[in-house]
Amino acid sequence: MASAATKTGNGALPTGFKSPFVRVEQEGSHDDLLAVAATLTNKTLAEVKKMAVTLGMRANGPFYFDEVLFRKVLFNLSPLACSPYQDFVSGAALPDVCVLCLDYDENEAARHVLFHRVRAPTPDGQSFSYVIDPAGWIDAKHQVTTDLRHLNMQPAWFLEITQRANPNGKSPSGKGK
């Protein structure tokens, strides 16, 4: 996976590049996918949690936030669409924006980070990839980084993130559904 990213310094984003995503840090040990949803939708973690509760997540106590609920939250808070989980094959095969499910263990626990590939703006420009990791316990240099060597990618899965074809629900003529 590390080969998918162009190394810039010590994992820093290229000079002058401003990510369209602002990192939202998770607050607990199991709300990483909620924090990634907040990062993708440009909402606070509280706003995403409120929507998730509205859509069926428990408000208090242990909760289960899977890709189905993640997809519903994205649909309600943004113009984004989300695929089902797909198997990770290689960094080069990842879509331009996806949520990586990694650090999987025998207890079926895993965590999620946001992956973004930036295509070269010009033929002589340089493409690169980076991750935004919501985990508060990781080293600050790994929170937003092009250096992906610290990620445990085997096994791993991803959720492809795309723009919805018709996010405002109007027909191509603009006259409603």
Side-chain angles (χ1 to χ4, degrees):
M1 175 67 188
S3 64
T6 300
K7 297 290 182 282
T8 56
N10 62 352
L13 297 177
T15 303
F17 174 76
K18 181 164 174 34
S19 174
F21 307 109
V22 176
R23 178 180 178 269
V24 174
E25 187 169 311
Q26 66 189 85
E27 294 175 352
S29 60
H30 293 83
D31 58 353
D32 54 323
L33 196 51
L34 282 166
V36 171
T39 298
L40 282 165
T41 61
N42 196 28
K43 304 288 184 194
T44 66
L45 192 55
E47 290 171 312
V48 171
K49 282 182 181 178
K50 182 178 179 181
M51 177 57 68
V53 168
T54 299
L55 295 169
M57 186 179 88
R58 292 174 72 175
N60 297 299
F63 63 86
Y64 185 67
F65 188 73
D66 64 3
E67 81 275 7
V68 174
L69 188 51
F70 177 78
R71 189 176 298 115
K72 291 176 183 178
V73 166
L74 285 185
F75 183 87
N76 281 277
L77 293 178
S78 74
L80 300 174
C82 175
S83 73
Y85 277 114
Q86 300 174 54
D87 291 332
F88 172 83
V89 177
S90 72
L94 287 173
D96 288 348
V97 179
C98 66
V99 177
L100 291 172
C101 176
L102 43 85
D103 286 345
Y104 182 81
D105 68 20
E106 65 278 352
N107 296 316
E108 297 190 5
R111 65 189 200 95
H112 296 85
V113 300
L114 178 61
F115 173 88
H116 184 206
R117 180 186 332 277
V118 179
R119 303 283 179 176
T122 62
D124 58 337
Q126 198 171 26
S127 297
F128 65 96
S129 301
Y130 66 99
V131 295
I132 298 176
D133 193 329
W137 62 87
I138 63 167
D139 192 325
K141 70 181 181 181
H142 291 142
Q143 292 175 355
V144 179
T145 184
T146 60
D147 184 1
L148 311 181
R149 293 175 293 180
H150 68 285
L151 299 174
N152 179 11
M153 298 299 297
Q154 293 301 326
W157 299 269
F158 68 91
L159 300 166
E160 182 176 8
I161 306 298
T162 57
Q163 291 286 321
R164 286 198 313 260
N166 195 7
N168 61 7
K170 295 186 181 202
S171 68
S173 68
K175 295 182 181 178
K177 292 183 180 182

